């Protein structure tokens, strides 16, 4: 399951995500759930941002399956190679719990929410828009299943 | 200038790249040049792959402007944050030379070509398809110019 804050605005990212979701349907029961992004005024204060993240975190917690392992996508998390990521998916599958990836909105994820998760995962030291991050994550999931299968997609 | 091996096959990646190229036109004279990817048979040997990469490297060298600083995108390169990347673009602009990014095809770039470059740049420990890497790089270029300008796009 991929729990995301906010909708994909650009058509090309929505199309890319849909394509990887289609390819992933061969391998897993993928569910992508979008949580509305809290609205903020122009130039919000740090406190206003944190309050909005807190509300989004509540909405995220309400959607989490009771038995789940949660990976939060965040720039300061741990980076893994595609092979390591494939093993991570395998481990989660072995646990019998639902694997849930969290992707925050433009201000990321609530600190409290991130503290409690199984894995804090970073894809890059670079900051990417969360829309593009969703496409990158879905591509890595697809690649991860291909690696597990010993397929030729991965190089 | 972005020198890429191979064409963007998926429409959504082509659309995404076109969108960032449009946005970048405000900031720089962006030129995206595609070099044909050498054809390989199914399950090529390492030697066949290296020979193909060598031919692609020749085609790349033939397209390089005489005064250029070259950054080769490769997974084993150095990772930079978006802020560091913005400074890198600034440094290159200060040199008065053309800044050229190289993105290889599905087998990456020739080792000899990579040895001679100004910067070996990695965006992630994860392996991404070179089509997606092109979108990621263009997005980072756009973000880099926004950072230099002190714009609000970057968070």
């Amino acid at each position: 399951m991929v729990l995301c804050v906010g909708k994909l605005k650009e058509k090309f990212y929505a199309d890319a995500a849909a394509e990887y979701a289609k390819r992933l349907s061969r391998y897993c029961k993928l569910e992508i759930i979008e949580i509305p992004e809290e609205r903020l005024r122009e130039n919000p204060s740090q406190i206003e941002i944190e309050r909005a993240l807190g509300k989004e975190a509540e909405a995220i917690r309400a959607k989490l399956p009771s038995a789940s392992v949660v990976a939060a996508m965040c720039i300061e998390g741990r980076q893994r190679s595609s092979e390591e990521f494939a093993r991570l998916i395998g481990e989660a599958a072995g646990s019998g719990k639902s694997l849930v990836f969290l992707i925050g909105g433009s201000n990321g994820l609530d600190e409290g929410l991130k503290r409690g998760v199984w894995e804090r995962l970073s894809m890059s030291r670079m900051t990417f828009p969360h829309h593009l991050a969703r496409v990158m994550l879905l591509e890595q999931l697809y690649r991860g299943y291909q690696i597990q299968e010993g397929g030729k997609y991965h190089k």
Side-chain angles (χ1 to χ4, degrees), chain A:
Chain A
M1 183 192 279
V2 182
L3 261 171
C4 322
V5 177
K7 284 187 184 305
L8 293 182
K9 278 178 294 188
E10 288 99 344
K11 187 178 182 304
F12 46 78
Y13 286 146
D15 289 350
E19 170 63 26
Y20 287 114
K22 199 177 87 185
R23 292 192 201 171
L24 276 163
S25 63
R26 255 189 69 196
Y27 296 106
C28 63
K29 218 176 127 265
L30 176 73
E31 213 181 337
I32 300 179
I33 295 180
E34 287 178 347
I35 282 162
E37 189 161 14
E38 289 291 316
R39 287 206 194 149
L40 284 167
R41 63 184 176 95
E42 282 271 297
N43 300 314
S45 68
Q46 192 54 36
I47 288 174
E48 287 167 326
I49 291 174
E50 283 169 20
R51 203 177 294 143
L53 291 179
K55 279 191 194 165
E56 288 166 3
E58 274 175 48
I60 288 170
R61 286 196 184 94
K63 293 282 185 194
L64 285 180
S66 51
S68 55
V69 282
V70 179
M73 309 305 292
C74 48
I75 195 163
E76 74 278 15
R78 183 166 164 188
Q79 280 198 41
R80 305 209 173 237
S81 69
S82 296
E83 290 81 1
E84 290 166 1
F85 182 67
R87 278 198 292 276
L88 202 75
I89 304 170
E91 267 177 46
S95 77
K97 295 178 185 169
S98 307
L99 173 57
V100 182
F101 291 94
L102 306 181
I103 304 178
S106 38
N107 291 299
L109 290 165
D110 177 68
E111 285 300 320
L113 183 67
K114 284 192 276 187
R115 265 195 297 276
V117 299
W118 174 61
E119 168 90 6
R120 296 166 67 133
L121 185 68
S122 175
M123 294 190 286
S124 178
R125 284 192 60 211
M126 291 172 160
T127 306
F128 286 100
H130 58 108
H131 309 110
L132 179 47
R134 195 192 303 188
V135 174
M136 289 161 63
L137 174 64
L138 291 172
E139 196 280 332
Q140 285 302 302
L141 277 169
Y142 177 60
R143 186 178 295 267
Y145 284 109
Q146 290 266 331
I147 289 172
Q148 283 182 15
E149 209 186 30
K152 272 189 240 163
Y153 173 72
H154 180 69
K155 285 191 197 169

